[in-house]
Amino acid sequence: LKNLTSDLSIHYDSAADLLINYLEHIGIEHVFGIPGGAIEPIFNSLAKSAERGGIKTVIARHEAGAAFMADGYFRETGKMGVCLTTSGPGATNLITGLACAYNNQIPMLVITGQPALPFFGKGAFQESACTGVDLISMFRHCTYYSSLLSHQNQLIAKLSSAVLTAYQSQGPVHLSMPVDIMRQPMTESLSSYFKIVDKLHQKPTSIDEESVEELFILLKNSSRPVFFIGAGAAEAIDNIMLLVDATDALFVSTPDAKGLINPFHPAYRGVFGLGGHDSAIDTIGLNSGYTVAFGAEFDEFTSNNWCKDLLNKQLIHVDNTSSNLLHSPMARLHVRGRILTICDQLCRRFIEEYGDITVRADKTTIEGKNNPNVTLFNPEKYNSEQSPLKPQRLMKELSERFPPDTRFLADIGNSMIWAPHYLQPVNRRQRQIYKPEFLQSGRRSGRTNWLRLCLNFAPMGWAIGAAIGIARGRPSYPVVCIAGDGAYLMSGQEITVAEQESLNIIYVILNDSAYGMVMHGQRITGAAPIGYQLNQVDFAQQVQAMSIPGFVIKSPKDFADIDFDALLSRKGPSLLDVRIDPNETPPMETRLKTLGAYAETEATE
């Protein structure tokens, strides 16, 4: 089917076969889900696909975990994640994962089953169409497209619409299929649909030339601008680093964009936002020139509670998403378009003006274990030898014990504060020399990021499934998933998927027998200490019962007793049960101030 050039119709034994062949053509290599009676024909077609070397199926333990896996798969590969579930609760279990993808602009195709059409309205088992629990309407609130297939002839048109919407809207879409339609044979020509889908799902490259030229003039005349790098700038990060050198800029990152940059770069001033650094706050606050934001969403966590030192008339906002640009109406200049194309154009203009752009080797790294330009909160605890283990020291061990190509994920809770603040692995970014063909070189996936966070919607347990999606998408790279014990208790069963799939994932559990962020928030604000306590669980013993290596770590010296080379070469997951000091509070004051502001506003109203 990938080589079709004519409009000849092809016979398919079932609509499910046609669906899977369609997904093969658009480049889908893995799907995530859980089988069931109402979607059995599609899994039957997947078995045929696997036999011919096609799509591989990853079976989750909970449907939300499948959605998180599809989320991580897209973040690492740039290929759309696909989820397959049965009707009723199998589908409703997906809603949290769908809402997460919706808020984080993750393209995802969800296919759910339904009972046979003639049984609608008759109390069919797990019916979830308009005559039962109306799943299609429920999903419309957290997808960009949600539709029921009521006739087999609708399949290609609706499937194509869903796929294109997922790519163009950068979010999840949903198609629900009755089981009898899945089984019906079809004769269909697909080549015309393939051509238009291939054409329309490509990213647009048009930009506002006038605004780009205005930005170039502002940068050229600025003494030392500050670059504010958001996660949306992923595919343009190499060009942005070249512009840092061309303009002698300083730069900060949002928490979820720290993994795009080298934390030892001499111009780097740290993370701005949740879990951020005072050096980044000072850099923004003391900047007398322009702040140029690339791919920044400016939500609560990335804007440091909508900081006025950032969101003012000195801001220049570069983004491809209209909704993001609407978050900065006060900006001096908005530059809309594909960020990679905009930065490529800026590099060309600097070359025209000044000659070649080169990142000098002596400026790309800083000697030593810490960047002196980034101020850590309680830096002495980063090197602490005390027991119980300081979370700060745990981040140091993780930074130094894993290779440069490791993918780190931090789950929701204290982990997503500790990691962006203290995690700083050795960076292997190459010295770059700009070339005109750089834009088309294909040297980066556009999603390369050594630290993954989920700051929008932020469901606990997200990283546990997302780590599997990332590892499945790029199995040659080790993956480290950092999660609290509360988050792991929500979704830890997915570690068995990593074992079944032989994926090298190290699960690092911050075990303090508490919902840590709740506990610390109550302590800081003087609220009643209630609801945060968890019973002590030996997670190492738990995974050992699953034939997975597990280790308990209570002090810094315990790391020396673990053969990390063996863990990194294992074809399967491992788990570190780290008993952290529960009295160590992460830098979370900004989050608490935001909650306090809401409470104060409500009280005055």
Side-chain angles (χ1 to χ4, degrees):
L1 285 175
K2 294 181 180 179
N3 297 318
L4 281 179
T5 57
S6 69
D7 287 328
L8 294 177
S9 296
I10 296 177
H11 177 76
Y12 299 88
D13 291 338
S14 68
D17 283 347
L18 186 152
L19 168 67
I20 297 305
N21 280 322
Y22 188 104
L23 296 180
E24 287 178 344
H25 172 80
I26 64 173
I28 302 301
E29 297 176 341
H30 294 87
V31 298
F32 307 86
I34 297 178
I39 203 169
E40 182 275 333
I42 291 181
F43 276 83
N44 185 59
S45 298
L46 282 168
K48 299 176 188 176
S49 178
E51 288 176 1
R52 61 177 178 262
I55 298 174
K56 297 178 178 61
T57 308
V58 178
I59 303 301
R61 304 303 182 251
H62 188 279
E63 288 83 359
F68 297 153
M69 293 173 198
D71 180 325
Y73 182 76
F74 172 77
R75 289 175 190 256
E76 179 62 31
T77 67
K79 299 177 182 178
M80 182 173 63
V82 177
C83 290
L84 304 173
T85 76
T86 191
S87 57
T92 57
N93 280 347
L94 275 174
I95 287 180
T96 296
L98 277 179
C100 180
Y102 186 86
N103 269 17
N104 286 278
Q105 301 177 336
I106 304 294
M108 186 183 298
L109 172 65
V110 173
I111 306 290
T112 61
Q114 289 284 358
L117 274 170
F119 301 142
F120 278 22
K122 296 182 178 181
F125 180 65
Q126 295 183 341
E127 182 187 344
S128 44
C130 59
T131 52
V133 174
D134 192 350
L135 180 72
I136 292 85
S137 295
M138 293 170 67
F139 275 24
R140 284 183 182 137
H141 297 282
C142 54
T143 65
Y144 288 96
Y145 182 97
S146 182
S147 183
L148 173 73
L149 199 70
S150 59
H151 193 281
Q152 68 185 83
N153 290 341
Q154 297 174 346
L155 175 57
I156 300 304
K158 286 193 172 183
L159 181 59
S160 297
S161 294
V163 169
L164 288 174
T165 301
Y167 279 118
Q168 293 174 347
S169 300
Q170 291 290 287
V173 295
H174 169 235
L175 194 61
S176 195
M177 298 179 63
V179 67
D180 55 334
I181 290 182
M182 295 181 197
R183 293 194 177 108
Q184 292 175 5
M186 292 189 66
T187 300
E188 185 69 58
S189 171
L190 298 180
S191 60
S192 297
Y193 282 101
F194 288 160
K195 290 175 183 177
I196 191 169
V197 168
D198 287 344
K199 182 72 174 177
L200 295 181
H201 94 272
Q202 297 173 11
K203 293 181 180 179
T205 58
S206 61
I207 58 175
D208 183 348
E209 298 280 355
E210 184 176 337
S211 295
V212 174
E213 183 61 22
E214 183 177 354
L215 174 55
F216 168 71
I217 293 171
L218 290 173
L219 288 175
K220 183 178 71 170
N221 296 327
S222 179
S223 59
R224 193 168 204 187
V226 173
F227 288 0
F228 186 95
I229 300 174
E235 68 171 356
I237 193 64
D238 283 330
N239 276 3
I240 293 173
M241 290 297 100
L242 291 169
L243 291 171
V244 166
D245 193 65
T247 61
D248 196 29
L250 301 176
F251 69 95
V252 302
S253 70
T254 59
D256 52 345
K258 183 179 181 180
L260 300 176
I261 58 88
N262 176 5
F264 298 99
H265 194 292
Y268 184 52
R269 293 300 183 267
V271 169
F272 188 92
L274 184 71
H277 302 98
D278 287 343
S279 51
I281 295 173
D282 292 342
T283 299
I284 294 294
L286 298 175
N287 180 28
S288 59
Y290 293 110
T291 298
V292 186
F294 296 95
E297 194 169 354
F298 294 131
D299 56 11
E300 176 187 336
F301 285 169
T302 59
S303 68
N304 206 28
N305 188 19
W306 301 285
C307 176
K308 293 181 179 179
D309 288 338
L310 172 65
L311 297 173
N312 55 40
K313 293 182 179 179
Q314 295 301 106
L315 178 67
I316 297 170
H317 195 177
V318 181
D319 209 290
N320 187 43
T321 306
S322 299
S323 58
N324 288 350
L325 293 172
L326 286 173
H327 292 168
S328 60
M330 74 299 293
R332 164 70 173 79
L333 176 66
H334 293 93
V335 186
R336 184 183 178 185
R338 187 177 179 185
I339 300 174
L340 176 60
T341 309
I342 291 169
C343 292
D344 182 77
Q345 185 67 24
L346 290 171
C347 286
R348 293 173 192 268
R349 290 292 288 115
F350 273 103
I351 288 174
E352 292 172 2
E353 194 82 12
Y354 300 112
D356 196 14
I357 302 175
T358 301
V359 176
R360 292 181 290 276
D362 61 349
K363 289 186 65 177
T364 57
T365 58
I366 290 178
E367 296 296 332
K369 301 282 180 141
N370 296 296
N371 187 334
N373 298 316
V374 177
T375 54
L376 297 181
F377 182 68
N378 290 333
E380 71 284 356
K381 294 181 180 180
Y382 187 72
N383 299 295
S384 173
E385 297 290 338
Q386 295 180 8
S387 298
L389 186 74
K390 303 294 183 184
Q392 300 92 326
R393 175 58 186 267
L394 170 61
M395 296 301 128
K396 178 179 187 291
E397 296 289 342
L398 297 179
S399 297
E400 297 177 359
R401 290 186 179 273
F402 290 95
D405 55 4
T406 300
R407 301 319 197 220
F408 292 90
L409 297 90
D411 209 291
I412 284 67
N414 286 346
S415 301
M416 70 179 183
I417 304 178
W418 292 122
H421 191 92
Y422 289 100
L423 204 61
Q424 45 184 355
V426 176
N427 186 275
R428 200 166 59 181
R429 186 174 300 283
Q430 299 294 317
R431 173 175 177 262
Q432 302 294 346
I433 299 176
Y434 181 82
K435 298 179 181 179
E437 65 271 19
F438 187 76
L439 180 62
Q440 292 82 26
S441 65
R443 291 170 47 245
R444 296 178 63 84
S445 70
R447 290 270 161 182
T448 302
N449 191 330
W450 58 259
L451 176 60
R452 301 288 186 183
L453 304 175
C454 182
L455 300 182
N456 291 329
F457 205 70
M460 290 176 66
W462 164 84
I464 295 164
I468 294 170
I470 287 176
R472 184 69 283 168
R474 205 167 315 266
S476 60
Y477 293 167
V479 177
V480 175
C481 175
I482 307 167
D485 49 344
Y488 189 77
L489 286 169
M490 287 188 178
S491 298
Q493 71 277 357
E494 305 300 343
I495 195 174
T496 62
V497 181
E499 177 70 9
Q500 187 173 8
E501 294 288 319
S502 301
L503 299 175
N504 186 233
I505 304 173
I506 314 297
Y507 286 94
V508 180
I509 311 305
L510 278 65
N511 193 345
D512 56 4
S513 300
Y515 289 122
M517 183 174 279
V518 175
M519 175 180 67
H520 293 299
Q522 290 173 350
R523 286 179 179 175
I524 293 173
T525 60
I530 181 173
Y532 70 83
Q533 302 96 334
L534 297 173
N535 54 314
Q536 179 75 71
V537 178
D538 190 325
F539 295 105
Q541 276 195 348
Q542 185 187 63
V543 298
Q544 287 167 9
M546 306 172 186
S547 301
I548 296 171
F551 305 87
V552 173
I553 297 176
K554 297 182 179 180
S555 67
K557 64 181 179 59
D558 291 339
F559 285 98
D561 298 329
I562 299 174
D563 186 347
F564 281 91
D565 289 337
L567 296 187
L568 289 167
S569 61
R570 182 176 187 269
K571 293 184 178 180
S574 307
L575 183 141
L576 307 182
D577 180 351
V578 186
R579 309 295 171 83
I580 61 169
D581 187 342
N583 296 313
E584 285 299 321
T585 302
M588 57 187 293
E589 289 80 4
T590 299
R591 170 64 175 156
L592 296 176
K593 287 178 182 177
T594 303
L595 292 174
Y598 289 153
E600 183 179 344
T601 300
E602 291 171 357
T604 57
E605 291 176 349

